Amino acid sequence: MPPSTHSTAMWHDSTLGLWAHGYAWLPHHMRAASDGIVQTRLLGRPAIALRGPEAVDFFYDEKHVVRTAALPGADLDTLFGQGAVHTLDSDVYRVREALFLRLLKDEAGVAALGAPVGWRWREALADRHEEIVLFDEAARVLARGVCDWAGLVLSEDAISELARDCTAMVDGFATPGPRHFRARRARRRQEDAMASLLAEVRAAPEPEANDSALEAVAWHRDANSEFLELHTAAVELLNIIRPTVAVAWFATFAAHALHRWPHHRELLRADTEGHYARSFANEVRRFYPFAPFLVGLAAHDQTWRGHDITKDSLVLLDLYGQNHDGTLWAHPYRFDPHRFSALAGFAPNAVLADLVPHGGGDPARDQRYPGEDVTVATLAALATELARTEYSVPDQDLSIPLSRMPTLPRSGFRLRPN
Ligand code: HEM
């Protein structure tokens, strides 16, 4: 092992800085670090922050970084849920992951979720001329779309409550105080609701084939060949529904982009094959702030580019910073969907490998994380419908505060359909 040039002992705790500066906290420290690696302390633990394609490979290699117990309890009580796939490693993880890959990496299945979200949006806006908050409307449309797709039969009121609860769970993950407690209450309510639906499914005999996500989760056997405990099954069902509803954040950013750079409306309207819509969706995911960084735990004492990493210290993968790194992206602060378009002369897979909006991996080896295809399909469908919808945008505060995590245009993006 080469001699280390840095020690973690002297770093001061940055937790307050993170809460105060949000998305700007890590990129600011990265700029100040001569080698692009930040060593600090978070929540009282030594932490090292990395970015770049090699850092992504390092982070996703279980020999270096593990995720079991890496997530703070607060994130599990709000965002992912106790016992979720996000907290597992090794064999237990692989069996659980296979469930998500089967449901979320099937091309026809993903298309069957994307397209209805488009027509549900048209339906939601038909004959309406009053002002609406796009974020709230998009969350309801996505909740309806994913429930239909997953086989959950819910009333309109239940869909509205589910949409509100899912956005509350995401909104409260990174903050102490009232937003956090609202998120915990929302999670408890929806875990109970999902557990009841799953119990109903299990009350019937096990079918030969599972046709829906609801059935697939209800009858999934874990690494020990047992069905998932009911609460864990509810958590995992929510781990399909909640992040799909969270695409409402990106849909709101898509509206923001179409408002600031309206020429994309024409390009989306003219795009009959959906190619430009996918590039647009990827650029929204790159350009706008959503997930700031991922957190893992160092598997053992090791060094990364001359920096000591002690066992169990936090390893952060700087997502927002990597998506705006000028060494990876030409003009990173320019909104330009063409950078993801093969027509512009880029090799899309090579470009996608650097894109880490909510996780990384190599698309050429099909090791992207499972939620990516659903995110792109639903976002592309909603962005295309937005471009086709005629609406006016009243005066409002569209600034996006980087100190708030997760952030949004302050107004949630109000619009009035024509
Ligand atoms: C709205 C945009 C989304 C954001 C910001 C987001 C964020 C995240 C983050 C931060 C993680 C942890 C990644 C890691 O530790 O490697 C994750 C994992 C995961 N997401 Fe998403 N996600 C989004 C959309 C989706 C969608 C639409 C789905 C599925 C319908 C989904 C399903 C999953 C699953 C199954 C995992 C666990 C992956 C694993 O541990 O192997 N996500 N997501």
Side-chain angles (χ1 to χ4, degrees):
M1 191 182 272
S4 148
T5 53
H6 303 74
S7 151
T8 56
M10 70 276 222
W11 304 102
H12 67 275
D13 199 287
S14 291
T15 310
L16 288 178
L18 169 61
W19 281 335
H21 301 290
Y23 295 92
W25 167 74
L26 195 45
H28 168 76
H29 284 282
M30 283 283 184
R31 274 193 296 278
S34 54
D35 55 2
I37 297 170
V38 171
Q39 284 196 282
T40 183
R41 298 181 78 84
L42 271 184
L43 301 168
R45 279 185 191 228
I48 184 165
L50 320 167
R51 77 157 67 140
E54 288 166 27
V56 173
D57 290 344
F58 177 83
F59 184 87
Y60 278 104
D61 187 338
E62 283 173 11
K63 290 199 295 296
H64 302 307
V65 180
V66 293
R67 288 177 301 175
T68 312
L71 291 165
D75 279 0
L76 300 179
D77 292 336
T78 55
L79 193 60
F80 298 124
Q82 298 284 352
V85 62
H86 310 65
T87 63
L88 307 175
D89 282 301
S90 309
D91 295 346
V92 187
Y93 170 71
R94 265 176 272 285
V95 174
R96 191 83 61 81
E97 189 198 29
L99 165 70
F100 285 97
L101 292 177
R102 181 163 79 77
L103 292 170
L104 303 174
K105 285 288 175 187
D106 170 61
E107 216 174 300
V110 171
L113 174 52
V117 162
W119 65 256
R120 286 275 181 199
W121 175 259
R122 285 200 296 281
E123 188 184 72
L125 261 61
D127 300 326
R128 284 177 66 182
H129 302 291
E130 80 277 15
E131 203 172 285
I132 61 165
V133 177
L134 181 133
F135 177 74
D136 299 339
E137 205 63 51
R140 266 192 299 276
V141 164
L142 286 157
R144 170 53 76 200
V146 69
C147 285
D148 288 354
W149 176 84
L152 278 65
V153 182
L154 296 181
S155 68
E156 281 311 313
D157 285 350
I159 288 289
S160 294
E161 181 166 74
L162 177 64
R164 272 197 307 275
D165 281 347
C166 287
T167 54
M169 285 178 228
V170 178
D171 191 52
F173 86 92
T175 175
R179 276 164 58 203
H180 174 77
F181 288 107
R182 196 162 73 98
R184 289 172 80 115
R185 283 195 301 277
R187 166 161 289 284
R188 270 200 303 274
R189 189 163 39 237
Q190 292 305 329
E191 281 178 0
D192 289 350
M194 296 299 139
S196 302
L197 292 171
L198 287 157
E200 275 175 37
V201 173
R202 284 185 181 174
E206 184 179 356
E208 278 185 21
N210 298 316
D211 288 334
S212 65
L214 175 63
E215 287 182 348
V217 174
W219 301 114
H220 172 73
R221 287 174 200 272
D222 233 359
N224 58 6
S225 304
E226 303 281 336
F227 294 130
L228 293 176
E229 195 260 317
L230 195 61
H231 173 258
T232 308
V235 163
E236 297 300 33
L237 187 56
L238 262 185
N239 275 332
I240 294 171
I241 293 167
R242 185 208 63 255
T244 308
V245 175
V247 173
W249 264 267
F250 283 137
T252 310
F253 290 136
H256 185 271
L258 289 175
H259 183 61
R260 273 190 80 180
W261 303 287
H263 63 280
H264 295 292
R265 298 177 75 85
E266 275 316 310
L267 294 168
L268 283 168
R269 284 177 187 175
D271 174 38
T272 48
E273 302 290 322
H275 293 158
Y276 190 71
R278 291 179 66 80
S279 299
F280 184 88
N282 279 328
E283 182 65 344
V284 168
R285 296 195 308 142
R286 183 197 72 82
F287 186 80
Y288 286 97
F290 199 177
F293 48 76
L294 299 180
V295 186
L297 285 186
H300 52 85
D301 288 351
Q302 55 198 305
T303 59
W304 166 258
R305 297 188 171 165
H307 291 254
D308 279 339
I309 310 180
T310 49
K311 181 175 180 334
D312 289 340
S313 55
L314 299 175
V315 183
L316 314 185
L317 185 64
D318 176 17
L319 303 182
Y320 181 67
Q322 177 162 332
N323 287 336
H324 295 84
D325 184 333
T327 63
L328 298 172
W329 308 97
H331 309 293
Y333 289 95
R334 183 184 293 168
F335 184 86
D336 179 14
H338 287 294
R339 69 176 86 238
F340 290 106
S341 157
L343 295 176
F346 287 103
N349 273 353
V351 179
L352 275 180
D354 293 338
L355 176 68
V356 286
H358 22 124
D362 181 351
R365 285 182 285 144
D366 201 19
Q367 288 180 341
R368 297 295 285 190
Y369 99 111
E372 181 148 62
D373 295 354
V374 171
T375 308
V376 174
T378 48
L379 179 56
L382 281 172
T384 304
E385 288 308 326
L386 269 175
R388 290 177 181 155
T389 309
E390 297 293 345
Y391 55 80
S392 58
V393 180
D395 275 351
Q396 59 192 290
D397 185 354
L398 286 174
S399 61
I400 300 172
L402 284 184
S403 56
R404 190 191 197 285
M405 289 194 299
T407 191
L408 259 191
R410 284 187 209 271
S411 61
F413 204 98
R414 289 187 285 111
L415 61 82
R416 188 189 300 275
N418 290 346

